[in-house]
Amino acid sequence: MKIDYAKELNEEQYRCVIAGDGPIYVLAGAGSGKTRVLTYRTAWLIENGIPPNRIMLLTFTNRAAREMLTRVETLTGLNLRNLWGGTFHHIGNLVLRRMGKSIGLSPDYMIIDESDANSLLNECKTACRIPQERKFPKAKVLKEVISSSISSLQDIPTTLSARFPYLLEFTPDIERIEKEYRKRKRKQNLMDFDDLLYYWQQVLCDGNPIYNFNHILVDEYQDTNLLQAEITDRMAEQVRNIMVVGDDAQSIYSFRGADYKNIRDFPLRYPDTKIYKLETNYRSTPQILHFANQIIERSDARFKKRLIPVRSNGGTPTVVAVRDPYEQARFVVYKVQELAGQGVPYKDIGILYRAHYQSAELEIQLYKSNIPYIIRSGARFFERAHIKDILSYLRVIVNPRDSVSFKRLLKLEEGIGDITAEKIYDRISSVRSPVHKFLSTEPEVAEKAVPGIKNAQKILSSIIKLSPSEAIKFIFESGYKEYLRLTYPDVDERKEDISVLIEIAREYRSLTRFLSEITLSEPATGEDTYFIQRGNDSVVLSTIHRAKGIEWDTVFLIYACDGGLPISRSYESIEQYEEERRLFYVAVTRAKRELYITYPMRSSRAKAYLSASPFLKELDEDAYKMMWL
DNA sequence: AGTCCTACTGTTTTT
DNA sequence: CAGTAGGACT
């Protein structure tokens, strides 16, 4: 099947798609069809004889990659399983499993998520014996310091003083802890998210010929960090066919090391780059676009774009001042019902907010009104406590040196707390396979810890030979069911989660694959568990960050008050405050036809008065109409 | 010395 | 809601 590119794309999109070789730089405004450009470009490359396994498509989320690849498959009519498409972390993992050996990594490393990385850091903190009387910043801050030091490829003290001046007095300690952290990760064969990028870059520095890709395409380039830019630059070093697509006005991930300099300086790094702009907005009505443009005009966005609407006129965006968060929830639900009455499907309605906790009142209200909704924020399925408990057994089987998981599973037993768990691990940590030693010895512990130890030993030795799903079933039946009942009030939901976990595990034969895939991706199956759903037609609740790249017919942005968006913390620096502005911009540009922005005049807990977001106050009066409730 | 219960607090954003 | 500090209990 031949694709008629000129017909299916507009002129500016078409030019990007058929642009020849060499570096290509696409500045794509919100709603201008950058996903379309990337998918058609990929299809075009394949049609022009580039082998799919020589194309790498780097996206920001797994969802985006999945969607694009499916689309390309439909366009070309080919099965593209061998095309390298996914997130940086996902592809980094694939690369390291195969090539990690060249830089001395063992190929069976385990990936740990943020919270396990934090636990490990805490271990290091204790191990380094930082004097108690020193008030030491939390592990979370530490983790941030460490990842920023890796991301910026600079030495720690410099980064520290630049980003966290108040931590300077701790620098020697932090260096010690960081050393210990790296040492432990190596010893326990663990990798955190940053490592996947860091070692990928190391592999590339090693100059491996397998990574000469013919074409590299990068989505959301404004949200890449220095390490990611380094990786793509390295990969494109020889063929120089690199296409980056992004929008500096939508850069909202600097907290994770994203650096707008990547997108700003791309033309400097590649002087022969072809620059294209996508300035036609297909998504929103002129009114919504006018509103969005006014927000971003006052920012320090580096590239001036003027988005031209093509849609016909719609309603003016509405700003609604409500008494308090309850009133806010009631207003949104009332409007949702009204829209539903007019025949708008629930799935065309998105409700956005800055932080997870801001969804609470709304959830209650939606639930009460029996409106189906999906919630795309909050603890992810695999990060929920009971899921992690179960998985800790599996992790230990695959990686007997994993101290965090090992201690976690011990502490589930009655009579074993932090200290006993620590002691047990301490005594066996020196051998190559601590867990096997644990299974074969009788640990000397207090009387009341003995039954717990016995039970842990029984479970571990039994599941060794089981498949992932059988193992989970076994763990659940051997005491965990009981533990759940005694620990949590919402047992049934958690049990339900575990049966979902069993279902997901059924798809896998290999434990290693199962575990690494679920730490890297939010699973398609797991999503369904923690929301009320009716068919596929549900209102979507999401943080603004997670709403990136998605659109809805009607969007509600809630908590648009001073302290809500911008969130209070952002007043710490001008950079953070400006990022809040871009966040606001991202939120409103999700809307196609209708936009409601609400803010409570009082908070729910304290009786403090709240005022409208400063970003709203800056706007011309004709940009929106005001409602008071 | 260690476990476990209760009360309290304060919430950014994510691969 | 989850992480933790303090205190009672073994």
Side-chain angles (χ1 to χ4, degrees), chain A residues 34 60-64 66-67 87 113-114 193 220 222-223 250-253 255-256 283 349-359 374-384 518-524 526-531 540-552 555-557 565 579 582-590:
Chain A
K34 75 178 165 57
F60 198 72
T61 61
N62 287 302
R63 183 186 47 79
R66 265 200 312 271
E67 277 168 18
T87 62
D113 65 20
E114 207 63 11
F193 285 134
E220 308 283 9
Q222 76 282 358
D223 286 324
Q250 292 188 65
S251 130
I252 53 175
Y253 278 93
F255 68 89
R256 175 176 114 177
R283 185 182 289 152
I349 302 171
I351 306 173
L352 306 181
Y353 37 85
R354 173 65 235 265
H356 299 309
Y357 68 90
Q358 294 172 340
S359 70
I374 301 177
I375 179 150
R376 296 174 143 269
S377 63
R380 286 206 199 120
F381 185 70
F382 289 120
E383 283 163 15
R384 309 185 108 198
I518 63 183
T519 22
L520 279 179
S521 59
E522 85 258 45
E527 266 172 24
D528 302 5
T529 55
Y530 48 99
F531 48 69
V540 178
L541 272 66
S542 168
T543 60
I544 301 169
H545 284 90
R546 288 246 197 138
K548 184 160 215 190
I550 313 177
E551 55 180 28
W552 290 274
V555 167
F556 294 89
L557 174 60
L565 179 62
E579 185 148 311
R582 294 191 294 269
L583 228 21
F584 203 131
Y585 176 73
V586 169
V588 301
T589 50
R590 300 307 97 199

Side-chain angles (χ1 to χ4, degrees), chain A residues 522-577:
Chain A
E522 85 258 45
T525 2
E527 266 172 24
D528 302 5
T529 55
Y530 48 99
F531 48 69
I532 303 172
Q533 208 197 21
R534 203 181 297 145
N536 276 324
D537 190 25
S538 307
V539 174
V540 178
L541 272 66
S542 168
T543 60
I544 301 169
H545 284 90
R546 288 246 197 138
K548 184 160 215 190
I550 313 177
E551 55 180 28
W552 290 274
D553 177 79
T554 303
V555 167
F556 294 89
L557 174 60
I558 62 174
Y559 275 98
C561 51
D562 198 353
L565 179 62
I567 204 155
S568 327
R569 261 185 132 103
S570 69
Y571 281 102
E572 279 167 19
S573 75
I574 186 79
E575 289 80 13
Q576 282 183 59
Y577 179 79

Side-chain angles (χ1 to χ4, degrees), chain A residues 130 134 160 167-177:
Chain A
I130 307 301
R134 298 193 74 169
L160 254 182
L167 286 180
L168 207 55
E169 54 173 312
F170 301 117
T171 307
D173 289 340
I174 286 175
E175 269 184 282
R176 269 168 60 211
I177 295 175

Side-chain angles (χ1 to χ4, degrees), chain A residues 384-393 408-414 455-456 458-459 471-488 490-491 493-499 501-502:
Chain A
R384 309 185 108 198
H386 47 291
I387 298 295
K388 294 200 72 168
D389 287 342
I390 297 269
L391 291 178
S392 66
Y393 292 91
R408 180 175 195 124
L409 99 227
L410 283 182
K411 283 190 278 184
L412 292 174
E413 301 293 343
E414 209 179 323
N455 192 42
K458 191 195 96 198
I459 297 176
I472 297 168
K473 258 186 243 164
F474 187 87
I475 298 159
F476 184 59
E477 296 298 335
S478 341
Y480 195 76
K481 201 186 344 182
E482 197 57 19
Y483 170 84
L484 269 188
R485 203 173 59 75
L486 297 170
T487 322
Y488 300 106
D490 55 339
V491 189
E493 273 172 54
R494 289 175 199 254
K495 277 187 183 166
E496 186 52 40
D497 280 356
I498 290 166
S499 36
L501 184 67
I502 294 173

